[in-house]
Amino acid sequence: MDEIEDINPQELKSGLKKIRRRRWFFWIVIMAYLPAMLIALRSSQPNQAIGIVFIVWILSLVVAVTLMALVRCPQCGNCFHMNGFMFRPVRKCFHCKLHLTADKKK
Ligand SMILES: [Zn+2]
């Protein structure tokens, strides 16, 4: 499915909003690693706390990457961040080059 269809602005907006939400979740998980580790280091049993924080963080990261990889582009219907097995968290659709903020420019 490579042809670009005309879709209504409402659909475009809600689709891009969903992509932006999932991207935020992904970056928040990435950025939470250091503060979470610092908090774990200060606990009474640091080794155990670090292990728990690491497992929770890895699971959150897997969920965040999966959600981000599977999100569909509202314009072309392909996966926004995926091309075959390549995952690239950039701000444009891999297939139709739709920008993440295309709904805000109009
Ligand atoms: Zn697209």
Side-chain angles (χ1 to χ4, degrees), residues 26 29 43 52 61:
F26 173 76
V29 169
S43 72
I52 292 167
L61 189 68

Side-chain angles (χ1 to χ4, degrees), residues 7-18 20 74 103-104:
I7 56 156
N8 69 63
Q10 206 56 43
E11 245 175 78
L12 186 79
K13 195 176 176 170
S14 68
L16 288 172
K17 223 174 170 177
K18 190 172 165 187
R20 286 195 294 264
D103 57 332
K104 289 177 178 174

Side-chain angles (χ1 to χ4, degrees), residues 73 76 93 96:
C73 170
C76 67
C93 174
C96 67

Side-chain angles (χ1 to χ4, degrees), residues 4 9-10 13 20-21 33 41 48 54 78 80 83 91-92:
I4 296 164
Q10 206 56 43
K13 195 176 176 170
R20 286 195 294 264
R21 249 198 332 262
Y33 181 77
L41 276 171
Q48 197 183 357
F54 187 72
N78 291 302
F80 196 85
N83 191 3
R91 297 173 65 85
K92 277 183 180 175

Side-chain angles (χ1 to χ4, degrees), residues 3-76:
E3 73 274 10
I4 296 164
E5 302 152 27
D6 276 333
I7 56 156
N8 69 63
Q10 206 56 43
E11 245 175 78
L12 186 79
K13 195 176 176 170
S14 68
L16 288 172
K17 223 174 170 177
K18 190 172 165 187
I19 297 168
R20 286 195 294 264
R21 249 198 332 262
R22 291 188 183 191
R23 288 175 59 92
W24 267 111
F25 179 57
F26 173 76
W27 292 117
I28 286 168
V29 169
I30 297 272
M31 286 186 286
Y33 181 77
L34 221 66
M37 276 299 172
L38 290 175
I39 291 166
L41 276 171
R42 289 183 182 175
S43 72
S44 55
Q45 291 176 303
N47 285 345
Q48 197 183 357
I50 286 172
I52 292 167
V53 166
F54 187 72
I55 289 167
V56 169
W57 184 78
I58 282 288
L59 291 175
S60 306
L61 189 68
V62 168
V63 169
V65 169
T66 306
L67 285 174
M68 213 169 135
L70 294 179
V71 74
R72 297 266 168 189
C73 170
Q75 186 165 264
C76 67

Side-chain angles (χ1 to χ4, degrees), residues 1-2 76 78-80 82-84 93-98:
M1 232 172 77
D2 280 316
C76 67
N78 291 302
C79 292
F80 196 85
M82 293 287 288
N83 191 3
C93 174
F94 230 128
H95 307 273
C96 67
K97 311 288 178 223
L98 176 72

